[in-house]
Amino acid sequence: MSRPAPSNAPNFNPVVWWSTIAGVCAIIIFGSVFVTLSYLKKRRFELENPRPPYLAKLTDFTATNRDGTEVSFSDLEGEIWIAGYQYTDCPGGCLGMAGIMKTLYERFGHRDDFQLVSVSLNPSEDTPEKMDAWVKKNGLDVDNWWFLTGEEQRIRDYMIKDFKFFGVRENEDPEVIAQEGKFSHDQRLALVDGDGLVRGMYDVMNGASPEVAKAAYEKLVNDIEFLYREAGTPVAEVAESPESGS
């Protein structure tokens, strides 16, 4: 009587089979948990640190810097920069604004892709020589900070149309002039990204509420750091910047 030929099929081992299935399921579950937690962490960060909006696209603009050279906003392509109003005869507010901008410089000014821009709202009197003297007198003579002057109406029209700053009003009451200066003007700062897009307006000089002004400044700092991350610059490079007042 002939015997059946031995089978070449591997022996079924249920322990190995179920162990393999369990291992694959565990990998899938742990992978799903990791992806979910990573997404939730990223989403929480985005909610706590929202992307600065796109408010306006700047056209190019050329003005005279305090050293007498002609500069253009197109020269700042690829840089993160801050812009605001300034004038040398201001009794105090403009110097306060300059102080805030200087703290930003102390935090980010070590970078080649960071710039401050102060624009005179009284260019008929703010000559380059006068602005340069004012800058040096007040300890603001640093690199990467323009103080611009030029044709008055052209500057004001540009600041309103492109940046969306509020208009300038000339004060007539002697008491108001003595306290607030010859002009009432927008005291916000504008944040501009490397593509010439205005990404935020910040009420850092809110006189009615110091809490609002402080929150606006902190928001501005956070948004600057966001734009550097958005541009692909490591956050660590921003974090290494000197602290304000150092």
Side-chain angles (χ1 to χ4, degrees):
M1 183 175 181
S2 63
R3 295 179 179 179
S7 173
N8 293 325
N11 293 328
F12 174 74
N13 188 326
V15 174
V16 174
W17 190 85
W18 283 110
S19 297
T20 302
I21 294 298
V24 171
C25 290
I27 292 173
I28 294 173
I29 291 171
F30 284 120
S32 299
V33 170
F34 176 78
V35 170
T36 300
L37 291 177
S38 298
Y39 169 78
L40 292 175
K41 182 179 179 181
K42 179 176 181 292
R43 183 59 180 157
R44 183 169 61 251
F45 177 83
E46 290 175 346
L47 290 173
E48 295 173 352
N49 302 271
R51 179 190 299 273
Y54 299 93
L55 300 181
K57 171 66 175 177
L58 298 180
T59 59
D60 199 13
F61 186 79
T62 300
T64 305
N65 196 17
R66 64 184 175 96
D67 61 1
T69 61
E70 296 292 308
V71 296
S72 300
F73 289 159
S74 58
D75 299 335
L76 302 178
E77 182 178 355
E79 301 185 21
I80 307 300
W81 51 288
I82 312 296
Y85 270 131
Q86 202 85 38
Y87 73 104
T88 60
D89 292 331
C90 181
C94 291
L95 191 56
M97 174 71 81
I100 291 173
M101 295 178 76
K102 189 175 181 181
T103 64
L104 294 172
Y105 180 86
E106 290 168 348
R107 189 178 184 107
F108 300 104
H110 67 291
R111 305 177 60 110
D112 293 334
D113 55 355
F114 181 76
Q115 180 79 26
L116 296 174
V117 178
S118 292
V119 182
S120 174
L121 57 85
N122 189 27
S124 60
E125 297 184 18
D126 279 341
T127 63
E129 296 80 10
K130 186 176 181 180
M131 295 186 77
D132 188 57
W134 184 87
V135 166
K136 292 176 178 176
K137 175 184 176 182
N138 291 293
L140 307 174
D141 189 12
V142 297
D143 295 331
N144 300 342
W145 193 343
W146 290 346
F147 287 82
L148 304 182
T149 187
E151 197 277 313
E152 184 171 293
Q153 195 59 49
R154 179 171 166 269
I155 287 178
R156 292 187 182 180
D157 289 346
Y158 182 88
M159 297 294 277
I160 294 171
K161 179 181 177 182
D162 280 59
F163 273 105
K164 314 305 180 186
F165 278 109
F166 303 140
V168 176
R169 185 180 76 252
E170 187 166 352
N171 296 321
E172 298 180 356
D173 187 329
E175 292 185 6
V176 173
I177 293 174
Q179 294 179 2
E180 302 178 9
K182 186 177 179 180
F183 302 99
S184 294
H185 61 90
D186 200 330
Q187 292 186 310
R188 295 176 298 167
L189 288 176
L191 172 62
V192 185
D193 68 16
D195 295 320
L197 295 165
V198 179
R199 301 294 295 272
M201 303 291 286
Y202 305 85
D203 192 10
V204 296
M205 289 285 289
N206 189 301
S209 174
E211 292 79 12
V212 170
K214 182 176 182 292
Y217 176 81
E218 292 173 352
K219 172 65 172 170
L220 172 55
V221 170
N222 290 337
D223 285 353
I224 292 171
E225 294 180 350
F226 186 101
L227 294 187
Y228 280 125
R229 292 194 298 272
E230 185 179 63
T233 303
V235 178
E237 186 174 342
V238 177
E240 292 170 1
S241 59
E243 291 297 322
S244 172
S246 62

